[in-house]
């Protein structure tokens, strides 16, 4: 019995020492105290939930688009989720693939109507900074439309707008005056590394 | 010099046709088949289109190849109507209107391509594919109009919605695109899309079989140099003319084999 008590006390001491050592390590790593001893309780930010979204960039061999998985914040509504996905699609491409939406293009608005048509409103940079070419233009359109339709099941088609208005084309070739469905024909397999 | 030669040709033909006394009349070669085509040099004016790394502009390549097509096609009995003669901006609507009134067999809009990768290369040929399918047989019938006539009565006319004009020719145009691709492939490998169908805006309002030809990628430094050169432009023009001459927009059904 005495032995049992001694063993229990020793285990408690070891556990306390381990807890103290772990707290010290965390404090050193984060620079933030682990435990607040006095004062008002500090609000702790809830961990942000994320989803894995599929967005599209150009393959470096120039043969089409490659699907790229990225983590984006999980949003409560389809429109907000679409915005989060499009922010990633308009951002810098990861290494090994290339941009198809002109740099500087920003998302003005994104909304979905009751028929399942999404409206994607971009700044005029998508036209004025576009390098042109019917292939380059087709890749731009497909990357945007596919990013929305691949990730949001509620959306069937996407209508591109520029500065809030309907436009005929982005660079003179591809008709974007009406809602477009996804185009898997321009998606190619990633190149082997 | 060219003018002098050209004016001399008709006189020469006249002498041969009249013949010389005591000699059999000389038979002239049969006149080549008459055909009119519309060639549309894409972009123009402030709209430069794609620009290559050395500064080569899509609008100028398109115009240069179009002019070569016209020069060479005349020798083959093909009349070529250009939608622009120089470096000026012409709207897509104006180009389609000109094409629709030209009595032409086919319409080719000429472009030069660009893509994000500098290694993309090769000519490509596109024909129209609508986002919403319009059955060719119903596109005009659904919108038939009854027009009142002077003196009484009405007349039924088929109204073609402006932006759906090409949908009626989509299948014939796709066959023509394939033929053009075959001829372009003889001068070099085709690009990533080769022959494709897409909602191409420059074709939508054209009321005759129409295709969009990208002569090469100006975003590829080597191909930019190539398409700027006279040799490649002449080869491209000849390939297009051969494709036009070889294309029969209304092929007859193959004769049935005897039982």
């Amino acid at each position: 019995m005495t032995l049992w008590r001694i063993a229990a006390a020793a285990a408690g001491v070891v556990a306390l020492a381990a807890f103290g050592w772990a707290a010290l390590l965390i404090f050193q790593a984060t620079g933030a105290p682990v435990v607040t001893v006095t004062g008002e309780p500090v609000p702790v930010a809830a961990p942000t939930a994320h989803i894995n979204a599929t967005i599209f960039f150009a393959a470096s061999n120039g043969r089409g688009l490659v699907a790229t998985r990225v983590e984006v914040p999980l949003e409560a509504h389809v429109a907000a989720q679409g915005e989060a996905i499009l922010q990633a699609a308009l951002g810098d491409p990861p290494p090994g693939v290339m941009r198809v939406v002109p740099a500087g293009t920003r998302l003005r608005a994104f909304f979905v109507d009751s028929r399942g048509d999404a409206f994607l409103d971009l700044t005029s940079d998508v036209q004025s900074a576009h390098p042109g070419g019917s292939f380059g233009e087709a890749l731009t359109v497909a990357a945007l439309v596919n990013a929305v339709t691949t990730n949001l099941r509620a959306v069937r088609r996407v209508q591109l707008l520029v500065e809030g208005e309907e436009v005929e084309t982005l660079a003179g070739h591809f008709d974007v005056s009406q809602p477009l469905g996804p185009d898997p024909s321009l998606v190619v397999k990633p190149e082997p590394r | 010099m060219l003018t002098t030669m050209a004016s001399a040709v008709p006189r020469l033909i006249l002498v041969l046709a009249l013949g010389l006394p005591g000699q059999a009349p000389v038979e002239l070669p049969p006149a080549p088949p008459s055909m009119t085509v519309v060639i549309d040099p894409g972009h123009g004016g402030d709209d430069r289109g794609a620009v290559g790394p050395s500064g080569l502009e899509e609008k100028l390549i398109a115009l240069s190849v179009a002019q070569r097509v016209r020069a060479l096609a005349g020798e083959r009995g093909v009349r070529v109507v250009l939608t622009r003669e120089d470096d000026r901006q012409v709207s897509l609507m104006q180009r389609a209107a000109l094409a629709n009134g030209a009595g032409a067999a086919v319409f080719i809009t000429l472009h030069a391509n660009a893509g994000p990768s500098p290694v993309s290369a090769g000519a490509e040929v596109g024909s129209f594919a609508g986002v919403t399918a319009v059955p060719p047989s119903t596109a005009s019938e659904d919108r038939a109009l009854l027009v009142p006539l002077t003196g009484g009565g009405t007349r039924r006319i088929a109204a073609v919605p402006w932006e759906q004009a090409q949908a009626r020719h989509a299948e014939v145009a796709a066959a023509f695109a394939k033929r053009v691709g075959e001829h372009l492939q003889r001068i070099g490998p085709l690009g990533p899309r080769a022959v494709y169908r897409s909602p191409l805006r420059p074709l939508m309002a054209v009321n005759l079989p129409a295709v969009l030809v990208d002569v090469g990628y100006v975003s590829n430094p080597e191909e930019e140099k190539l398409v700027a050169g006279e040799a490649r432009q002449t080869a491209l023009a000849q390939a297009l003319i051969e494709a036009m001459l070889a294309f029969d927009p209304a092929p007859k059904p193959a004769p049935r084999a005897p039982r």
Side-chain angles (χ1 to χ4, degrees), chain A:
Chain A
M1 192 65 178
T2 309
L3 278 175
W4 185 88
R5 283 186 180 171
I6 293 169
V13 170
V14 169
L16 275 173
F19 178 78
W21 178 249
L24 181 64
L25 284 178
I26 291 169
F27 177 78
Q28 285 174 340
T30 62
V34 176
V35 181
T36 304
V37 179
T38 59
E40 293 294 314
V42 174
V44 178
T48 309
H50 286 80
I51 60 165
N52 280 319
T54 303
I55 57 175
F56 298 86
F57 295 101
S60 59
N61 65 9
R63 302 206 67 83
L65 297 171
V66 285
T68 306
R69 301 281 281 175
V70 292
E71 221 178 46
V72 298
L74 172 66
E75 302 290 350
H77 305 290
V78 65
Q81 191 64 70
E83 278 188 29
I85 293 163
L86 286 164
Q87 296 296 357
L90 297 176
D92 291 331
V97 293
M98 285 173 293
R99 172 187 292 285
V100 289
V101 181
T105 302
R106 285 176 290 109
L107 183 68
R108 295 179 80 243
F110 178 79
F111 48 97
V112 183
D113 72 9
S114 58
R115 294 173 303 179
D117 286 347
F119 292 82
L120 196 172
D121 186 9
L122 299 167
T123 56
S124 60
D125 310 86
V126 73
Q127 286 181 311
S128 62
H130 200 286
S134 66
F135 186 54
E137 185 178 2
L139 293 181
T140 305
V141 174
L144 292 166
V145 172
N146 289 3
V148 175
T149 54
T150 302
N151 298 290
L152 303 178
R153 289 191 176 182
V155 176
R156 294 184 309 117
R157 303 185 302 173
V158 178
Q159 165 92 58
L160 299 184
L161 304 174
V162 176
E163 300 291 344
E165 295 186 3
E166 181 185 304
V167 293
E168 289 186 351
T169 69
L170 299 183
H173 313 94
F174 198 102
D175 178 48
V176 293
S177 66
Q178 51 190 322
L180 300 164
D183 183 358
S185 71
L186 290 172
V187 181
V188 298
K189 288 182 181 173
E191 294 165 77
R193 294 191 176 179

